[in-house]
């Protein structure tokens, strides 16, 4: 299933991409036995969609990053490091990703 998720995340079709992010988000919430390498791969790919023109893609990506961060302390630091780039970039589209991940994760500390 992980291979299919990454295929969907890399799709050019907006709602296929959203479905991939939603599915990996659910996997992070429900399946604590998955290897962190699966989630790290998604985290590494995530900046490719920080400025995606579709709001739904950015929201589903933010949710996936947040749920991955909440599933594991090491992954939380990895996610926070990745989205911290957004704050200093000055790019407006990716602001929702920062607000839906770093802001909420730091609030829960």
């Amino acid at each position: 299933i992980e291979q299919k998720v990454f295929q969907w995340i890399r799709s050019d079709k907006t709602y296929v991409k959203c479905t991939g992010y939603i599915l990996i988000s659910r996997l992070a919430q429900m399946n604590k036995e998955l290897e962190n390498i699966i989630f790290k791969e998604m985290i590494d790919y995530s900046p490719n969609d920080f400025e995606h023109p579709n709001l739904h893609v950015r929201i589903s990506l933010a949710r996936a990053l947040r749920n991955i961060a909440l599933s594991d302390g090491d992954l939380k630091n990895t996610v926070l490091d990745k989205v911290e780039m957004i704050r200093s970039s000055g790019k407006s589209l990716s602001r929702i990703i920062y607000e839906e991940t770093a802001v909420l994760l730091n609030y829960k500390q």
Side-chain angles (χ1 to χ4, degrees):
I1 192 165
E2 295 87 13
Q3 290 177 345
K4 186 59 88 174
V5 167
F6 290 115
Q7 180 183 351
W8 290 350
I9 287 171
R10 289 177 173 91
S11 174
D12 292 333
K13 297 179 181 176
T14 299
Y15 290 102
V16 172
K17 186 180 281 287
C18 286
T19 302
Y21 283 127
I22 290 167
L23 185 54
I24 203 161
S25 175
R26 294 296 292 159
L27 288 171
Q29 284 182 312
M30 300 175 68
N31 194 343
K32 303 297 183 191
E33 297 169 13
L34 280 176
E35 300 272 336
N36 281 354
I37 193 137
I38 294 165
F39 299 120
K40 285 181 182 178
E41 184 177 341
M42 198 235 76
I43 294 167
D44 288 342
Y45 180 80
S46 66
N48 293 315
D49 286 328
F50 281 176
E51 286 288 307
H52 195 280
N54 187 285
L55 175 65
H56 298 290
V57 170
R58 295 190 315 272
I59 289 174
S60 60
L61 169 57
R63 184 170 293 130
L65 288 169
R66 187 176 65 239
N67 287 337
I68 288 169
L70 292 172
S71 73
D72 183 276
D74 291 334
L75 291 175
K76 180 178 180 179
N77 292 331
T78 304
V79 167
L80 287 172
D81 289 344
K82 192 63 72 170
V83 299
E84 196 62 37
M85 299 180 328
I86 294 171
R87 187 164 59 164
S88 60
S89 74
K91 296 180 179 178
S92 61
L93 290 179
S94 55
R95 182 181 310 265
I96 192 160
I97 294 169
Y98 181 79
E99 292 170 355
E100 291 289 319
T101 53
V103 174
L104 289 175
L105 291 172
N106 288 329
Y107 178 76
K108 290 187 174 219
Q109 288 182 343

